[in-house]
């Protein structure tokens, strides 16, 4: 029988891949905590309505990409395609809309049925944060600054550019939408089939089209700036001032959009040219209407998400695996003492290993094979004297160390 393989669009994380992946998540969690964000974990599947309602019934994610099914009780269930909706659902269902602001960090797997390509899988992983409650542009700037700080801590900030746009308030968007409909209707015959469909239901999404013909038409489309209300223009100016104060560089890109009505004001992406066509590594914006869509009160919020796989690909070098210390009993009589040494080292946070069998020579060969930095050799005479022989496997030097001081010796 042929060996079983992973499902298309999924992969195993082993060795270097796992270290890169874990480094991204742990670094992000540490930096987010310094900004006051607390980790939340929500289920990887939700009532399908959580996503259908919040992502838009006609969006590509809902109509083409979600892993949805009926469970044995007949309930509609969907594996989460993104993290924000679950966080907002958790805020409402746990009665936290009266305890604001909430600053949330999350990390975990997401699922979308789409064509696998470089840095994109059907099971993929995201980090993200949501800042729920504040309506001020300072909140948007802090969320973006935290993302920038995470990229800097990962050593990849120099490979990305922050692109920034405003979607304005509802009045601004209504006027802008009308202008886009008029412009694209005049070019409708030249638009792709997808964009002709979007013209009727969601014309802002045409600005995000990847079709080359569409992109030529989009190049001359109106921008939102002339349609901004005074309040929306002031919000955007305040955001840019705050980003300057945080020391976060940006360029303005009027083509960044979010297609759903509850998005407004801030929209941004951190993009790179280092990953080919998959250029966005982190993106987000303000979504003041989403929590109302979840059945909660109207609540301002801003957030972003980033692909762990793409960030891991940008890392110059994977974090090194912890180097082991080999504990080597010279015979069966010293094995019990060796186990005690193993546990002493592990309790001190050191990686320690011992072969399950073999004579002294074979155990030393295994220590070299696993790349151990040192070997602790335990013989009966040394144990009687309360010491062990510690051999540096790089230099070959060896010295006696008190059993009680072995962990301190490697600190």
């Amino acid at each position: 029988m042929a060996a079983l393989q992973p499902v298309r669009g999924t992969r195993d994380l082993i060795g270097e891949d796992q270290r890169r992946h874990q480094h991204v998540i742990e670094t992000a969690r540490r930096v987010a905590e310094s900004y006051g964000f607390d980790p939340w974990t929500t289920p990887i599947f939700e009532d399908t309505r959580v996503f259908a309602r919040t992502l838009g019934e006609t969006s590509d994610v809902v109509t083409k990409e979600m892993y949805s099914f009926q469970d044995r009780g007949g309930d509609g269930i969907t594996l989460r395609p993104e993290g924000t909706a679950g966080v907002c659902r958790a805020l409402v269902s746990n009665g936290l809309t009266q305890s604001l602001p909430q600053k949330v960090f999350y990390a975990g797997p997401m699922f979308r049925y789409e064509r696998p390509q470089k840095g994109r899988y059907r099971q993929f992983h995201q980090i993200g944060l949501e800042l729920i409650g504040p309506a001020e542009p300072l909140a948007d700037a802090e969320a973006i600054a935290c993302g920038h700080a995470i990229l800097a801590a990962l050593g990849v900030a120099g490979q990305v550019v922050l692109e920034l746009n405003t979607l304005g308030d509802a009045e601004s968007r209504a006027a802008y939408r009308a202008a886009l409909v008029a412009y694209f209707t005049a070019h409708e015959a030249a638009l792709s089939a997808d964009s002709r469909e979007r013209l009727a239901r969601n014309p802002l999404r045409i600005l995000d089209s990847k079709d080359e013909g569409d992109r030529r038409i989009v190049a001359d489309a109106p921008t939102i700036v002339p349609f901004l209300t005074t309040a929306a223009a002031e919000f955007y100016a305040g955001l840019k001032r705050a980003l300057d104060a945080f020391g976060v560089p940006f360029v303005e890109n009027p083509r960044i959009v979010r297609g759903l009505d509850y998005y407004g004001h801030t929209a941004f992406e951190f993009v790179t040219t280092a990953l080919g066509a998959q250029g966005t590594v982190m993106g987000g914006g303000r979504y003041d209407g989403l929590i109302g869509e979840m059945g909660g009160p109207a609540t301002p919020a801003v957030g972003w998400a980033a692909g762990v796989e793409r960030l891991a690909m940008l890392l110059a070098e994977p974090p090194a695996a912890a180097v082991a210390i080999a504990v080597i009993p010279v015979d069966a009589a010293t094995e019990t003492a060796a186990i005690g040494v193993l546990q002493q080292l592990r309790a001190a946070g050191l990686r320690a290993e011992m072969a399950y069998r073999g004579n002294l020579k074979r155990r030393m060969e295994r220590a070299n094979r696993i790349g151990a930095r040192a070997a602790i050799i335990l013989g009966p005479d040394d144990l009687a004297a309360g010491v062990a022989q510690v051999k540096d496997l790089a230099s070959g030097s060896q010295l006696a160390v008190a059993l009680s001081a072995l962990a301190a010796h490697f600190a």
Side-chain angles (χ1 to χ4, degrees), residues 202-336:
N202 204 343
L204 268 72
R205 294 299 298 169
I206 300 175
L207 299 175
D208 198 34
S209 173
K210 302 301 186 288
D211 181 88
E212 287 302 321
D214 289 347
R215 291 170 76 90
R216 286 191 291 272
I217 297 170
V218 165
D220 294 322
T223 69
I224 196 172
V225 173
F227 303 94
L228 292 177
T229 63
T230 299
E234 289 176 351
F235 188 101
Y236 191 40
L239 168 64
K240 290 186 285 186
R241 286 194 301 271
L243 286 174
D244 287 338
F246 276 111
V248 179
F250 61 89
V251 298
E252 295 182 72
N253 179 353
R255 303 308 182 200
I256 296 176
V257 295
R258 298 289 182 267
L260 299 173
D261 288 341
Y262 54 73
Y263 283 105
H265 293 298
T266 307
F268 69 93
E269 294 178 354
F270 284 92
V271 299
T272 182
T273 59
L275 298 177
Q278 301 305 313
T280 302
V281 296
M282 180 183 289
R286 178 163 281 276
Y287 52 92
D288 290 351
L290 177 55
I291 292 167
E293 292 279 343
M294 307 294 294
T299 307
V302 61
W304 55 255
V308 174
E309 282 81 1
R310 296 183 191 177
L311 290 174
M313 290 166 64
L314 289 176
L315 297 180
E317 293 291 339
V323 182
I325 300 163
V327 178
I328 300 178
V330 300
D331 55 27
T334 56
E335 198 166 89
T336 298

Side-chain angles (χ1 to χ4, degrees), residues 46 92-93 105 135 139 164 170 204 249-251 280 314 359 363 369:
E46 299 267 4
V92 173
S93 59
F105 171 83
L164 188 68
L204 268 72
F250 61 89
V251 298
T280 302
L314 289 176
N359 58 24
R363 291 182 191 242
R369 191 164 60 251

